[in-house]
């Protein structure tokens, strides 16, 4: 049987210690409680602090849990709450747009589809819940990368594949795409991931104003894009997607987004 990694066990014990009892603890308190040398405890705390899992009060020097743990905890809880809150709104979006609706969250350097509403017609469709989509080329991925710092880093650090001639892979060009996404509040994918397919997506925020997911529609270019400009999305579809994202965000407790 493989042995546990001692440093990880100590880090986990440290986080549990900070999660209970006193809100803030000094280095000596932490070391004594866990039976560690001060130098060992300090090294672990510095690493946890660098990753955002622990914060140090500048005045007292004491340590407390960091914001990154809150983000991770919310991510776990919000996937379930997000889907539950989005069910009615995504059904409405599919009916009003006539297109398939996808709900995605950041997962392992990609977008995990956690909810999929079929296009409301009689065409044969495949359920994509559990599928992974790329961050750099899909509308859902670009929205997450624009608003979530972790997704942003992963989109730029991961290997980026050219899916079509329109796929943007250059890091500088991607930064411009993310800037544009934040400026207008939505992102587009016009044949960047699949030939003949276009998408539009908008971000969903929680009560902490954290981006917890994205919602979007996907369909054939001739339906999703304007007739007079096949490279531009239909404005009424953009508005519908943004309205859906706002509605889900409000249900999650967001007041401003």
């Amino acid at each position: 049987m493989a042995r546990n990694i001692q440093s990880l066990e100590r880090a986990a014990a440290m986080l549990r210690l900070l999660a209970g009892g006193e809100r803030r603890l000094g280095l000596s308190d932490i070391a004594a409680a866990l039976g560690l040398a001060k130098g060992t405890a300090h090294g672990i705390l510095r690493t946890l602090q660098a990753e955002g899992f622990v914060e140090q009060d500048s005045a007292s020097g004491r340590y407390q849990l960091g914001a990154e743990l809150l983000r991770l905890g919310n991510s776990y809880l919000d996937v379930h709450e997000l889907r539950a809150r989005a069910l009615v709104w995504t059904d409405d979006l599919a009916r009003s747009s006539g297109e398939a609706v996808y709900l995605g969250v950041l997962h392992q350097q990609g977008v995990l589809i956690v909810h999929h509403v079929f296009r409301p017609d009689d065409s044969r469709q495949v359920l994509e819940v559990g599928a992974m989509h790329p961050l750099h080329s899909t509308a859902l991925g670009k929205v997450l990368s624009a608003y979530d710092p972790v997704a942003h880093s992963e989109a730029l650090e991961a290997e980026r594949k050219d899916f079509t001639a329109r796929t943007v892979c250059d890091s500088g060009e991607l930064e411009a795409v993310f800037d544009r996404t934040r400026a207008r509040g939505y992102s587009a994918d016009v044949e960047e991931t699949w030939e003949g397919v276009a998408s539009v997506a908008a971000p969903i925020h929680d009560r902490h104003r954290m981006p917890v997911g994205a919602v979007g529609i996907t369909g054939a270019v001739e339906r999703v894009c304007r007739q007079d400009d096949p490279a531009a999305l239909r404005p009424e579809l953009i508005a519908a997607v943004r309205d859906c994202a706002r509605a889900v965000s409000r249900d999650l407790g967001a007041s401003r987004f």
Side-chain angles (χ1 to χ4, degrees), residues 1-5:
M1 182 181 294
R3 297 178 61 185
N4 293 342
I5 300 174

Side-chain angles (χ1 to χ4, degrees), residues 55-119:
E55 296 174 355
Q56 185 178 29
D57 181 68
S58 57
S60 66
R62 290 175 172 266
Y63 295 89
Q64 65 183 23
L65 294 180
E68 181 63 11
L69 278 178
L70 176 64
R71 194 192 74 83
L72 292 177
N74 281 340
S75 295
Y76 175 78
L77 295 174
D78 285 340
V79 167
H80 305 284
E81 185 180 3
L82 173 62
R83 185 178 182 279
R85 298 287 186 178
L87 289 176
V88 173
W89 300 111
T90 51
D91 282 348
D92 287 347
L93 178 59
R95 281 193 295 268
S96 65
S97 68
E99 302 295 343
V101 177
Y102 294 90
L103 190 68
V105 298
L106 176 66
H107 181 68
Q108 295 180 350
Q109 294 189 325
V111 183
L112 175 66
I113 304 302
V114 297
H115 185 53
H116 173 196
V117 184
F118 282 167
R119 185 171 62 254

Side-chain angles (χ1 to χ4, degrees), residues 52-214:
F53 296 138
V54 163
E55 296 174 355
Q56 185 178 29
D57 181 68
S58 57
S60 66
R62 290 175 172 266
Y63 295 89
Q64 65 183 23
L65 294 180
E68 181 63 11
L69 278 178
L70 176 64
R71 194 192 74 83
L72 292 177
N74 281 340
S75 295
Y76 175 78
L77 295 174
D78 285 340
V79 167
H80 305 284
E81 185 180 3
L82 173 62
R83 185 178 182 279
R85 298 287 186 178
L87 289 176
V88 173
W89 300 111
T90 51
D91 282 348
D92 287 347
L93 178 59
R95 281 193 295 268
S96 65
S97 68
E99 302 295 343
V101 177
Y102 294 90
L103 190 68
V105 298
L106 176 66
H107 181 68
Q108 295 180 350
Q109 294 189 325
V111 183
L112 175 66
I113 304 302
V114 297
H115 185 53
H116 173 196
V117 184
F118 282 167
R119 185 171 62 254
D121 59 20
D122 295 328
S123 63
R124 185 175 180 180
Q125 300 173 63
V126 177
L127 186 67
E128 290 197 37
V129 172
M132 292 291 292
H133 290 186
L135 284 171
H136 70 285
S137 63
T138 61
L140 291 171
K142 285 186 278 188
V143 160
L144 291 173
S145 300
Y147 286 89
D148 186 331
V150 177
H152 180 271
S153 297
E154 292 185 350
L156 295 177
E157 293 171 4
E159 181 179 353
R160 296 182 291 275
K161 180 180 177 181
D162 272 321
F163 296 106
T164 74
R166 295 173 180 263
T167 308
V168 176
C169 292
D170 177 76
S171 58
E173 292 181 25
L174 273 178
E175 286 284 17
V177 169
F178 300 153
D179 288 343
R180 187 161 61 250
T181 296
R182 285 188 293 271
R184 63 189 186 182
Y186 71 91
S187 188
D189 166 10
V190 180
E191 298 188 285
E192 293 179 48
T193 311
W194 300 280
E195 296 283 356
V197 176
S199 304
V200 56
I204 296 172
H205 296 84
D206 67 5
R207 60 187 176 278
H208 304 292
R209 300 179 64 189
M210 292 289 294
V212 294

